[in-house]
Amino acid sequence: MKKNLLALILTLAMALSLAACGGNPAPAGSGGSGNDAPPAETQEPADSGSDAGSSGETYKIGICQLAPHPALDAATEGFTDAINALLPGQVELDPQNAAGDTPTCATIINGFVSGGVDLIMANATAPLQAAASATADIPVLGTSITEYGVALGIDNFSGTVGGNVSGTSDLAPLDQQAEMIREWYPDAKTVGLIYCSAEPNSQYQVDNVQKYLEDMGYACTQFPFSDTNDMASVVQSAADASDVLYVPTDNTAANNTGIIDNICRGVKPVFAGEEGICGGCGVATLSISYYDIGYKTGEMAADILTGKADVSAMAIEYAPQFVKKYNPAICEALGLTAPEGYEAIAAE
């Protein structure tokens, strides 16, 4: 009896073992036994070997813009268009505006850092300075920055910031800006240089424009204002003391061109470092496209995010071309005719 029972148990065990080993046959053409492959829903996808730009990886970019202004708006628009074109559907953009308040820039940037964004775009000097102070790890790209060495306190700036910072500059050649004043007013004697003393890039511009103008024989005086509270009185003093006025690429001036225009329209000519200021109160400017430098910044961002470029090795990029432009309304008020080669600024 015991022998019969043992034989029965062994027979059942062998039957179960054969059933377990049988499995399902391999699919036709698979080239395998079908026993080692996991079920289809658990197989790992093959590595395509493509870069992040085509693999569907997603990123988050924080954008801090100093203030609402046509030039800064255009730079942000260009950046956004470039990102959407190069990394379609892969980037979440968080655009925030500091409304002209420098401490708010720091608050916005700190929020980006704590939120773990993959890249920060700093539109204007104050956001760039806040970003450079807030993080040494997250890539930071500036735009609408006149001179990075001045903005970041770098002596003997070579054109590459290094570390985690790079970007694009809105600086038009200062010697050509000075030459523009001579082209319109060769017989003028004095030039008043108006700028916000709180903006180091503005100081850099007026210092250099002054050197070029003085080499041409003009007597120059700097008229700094600290903020909008003393801006009108300083502009009035400059207008009273000067034949011609010059305003560099200056964020405070850009946001308050109405103050300058109310004092100077039809009375004193104002030459500007960029088109937005010129459109509000100036005679002429050597203009760049802020949309173009914003777009270039977006291209740089895409290269950094996808691993094609190292931000620490990226040199600062500059506008590819400059255009002489004039303000028809201001010229009419002063009885001026634009020299050949100037384009009219379109009325808003």
Side-chain angles (χ1 to χ4, degrees):
M1 181 68 178
K2 291 182 179 179
K3 291 181 178 180
N4 291 338
L5 179 61
L6 180 59
L8 178 61
I9 293 172
L10 290 173
T11 301
L12 289 172
M14 291 177 64
L16 289 172
S17 176
L18 288 170
C21 292
N24 293 322
S30 69
S33 68
N35 297 332
D36 298 326
E41 63 271 20
T42 64
Q43 290 184 10
E44 293 296 326
D47 184 1
S48 66
S50 61
D51 61 28
S54 59
S55 68
E57 188 170 346
T58 59
Y59 312 95
K60 186 171 183 179
I61 297 177
I63 299 173
C64 181
Q65 180 175 318
L66 175 61
H69 182 268
L72 301 184
D73 293 345
T76 295
E77 181 184 1
F79 180 85
T80 301
D81 286 352
I83 288 295
N84 289 334
L86 296 170
L87 299 172
Q90 293 180 240
V91 180
E92 178 187 347
L93 297 173
D94 184 6
Q96 298 195 36
N97 198 300
D101 185 60
T102 297
T104 300
C105 292
T107 301
I108 293 170
I109 295 295
N110 288 334
F112 291 157
V113 174
S114 62
V117 298
D118 298 294
L119 185 141
I120 295 171
M121 194 278 261
N123 191 350
T125 300
L128 177 74
Q129 292 171 329
S133 297
T135 178
D137 301 314
I138 299 172
V140 174
L141 290 178
T143 193
S144 312
I145 313 296
T146 303
E147 219 286 330
Y148 282 75
V150 173
L152 299 175
I154 303 172
D155 293 332
N156 302 316
F157 181 59
S158 65
T160 301
V161 176
N164 65 321
V165 178
S166 189
T168 57
S169 170
D170 62 0
L171 181 64
L174 296 172
D175 58 339
Q176 294 183 38
Q177 294 184 48
E179 181 60 42
M180 181 178 61
I181 293 175
R182 181 163 66 175
E183 185 177 18
W184 284 77
Y185 282 90
D187 297 326
K189 303 298 182 184
T190 57
V191 178
L193 307 168
I194 306 169
Y195 66 101
C196 180
S197 58
E199 298 189 33
N201 274 312
S202 296
Q203 184 71 66
Y204 169 83
Q205 291 173 82
V206 296
D207 286 347
N208 282 277
V209 167
Q210 179 171 343
K211 292 175 185 176
Y212 292 121
L213 288 170
E214 288 177 344
D215 287 344
M216 296 175 187
Y218 293 98
C220 298
T221 303
Q222 296 187 10
F223 292 89
F225 56 87
S226 58
D227 53 34
T228 54
N229 293 320
D230 65 337
M231 185 175 178
S233 62
V234 170
V235 172
Q236 186 64 65
S237 297
D240 292 342
S242 313
D243 297 326
V244 178
L245 302 178
Y246 171 79
V247 182
T249 300
D250 181 289
N251 291 305
T252 307
N255 289 324
N256 296 278
T257 56
I259 294 175
I260 302 173
D261 191 46
N262 289 337
I263 295 169
C264 298
R265 184 179 286 247
V267 179
K268 286 293 167 69
V270 178
F271 290 83
E274 58 94 12
E275 184 174 340
I277 296 175
C278 188
C281 65
V283 169
T285 184
L286 188 63
S287 178
I288 69 165
S289 167
Y290 277 80
Y291 179 90
D292 287 350
I293 62 170
Y295 198 96
K296 181 61 182 179
T297 311
E299 292 178 331
M300 296 169 75
D303 284 346
I304 292 168
L305 292 173
T306 57
K308 295 178 182 177
D310 179 356
V311 64
S312 68
M314 299 179 86
I316 301 303
E317 298 279 354
Y318 293 83
Q321 60 182 357
F322 309 97
V323 181
K324 291 181 176 181
K325 292 194 173 184
Y326 74 99
N327 186 327
I330 298 292
C331 288
E332 182 179 358
L334 289 166
L336 297 172
T337 300
E340 186 177 351
Y342 280 78
E343 296 180 9
I345 296 175
E348 296 184 0

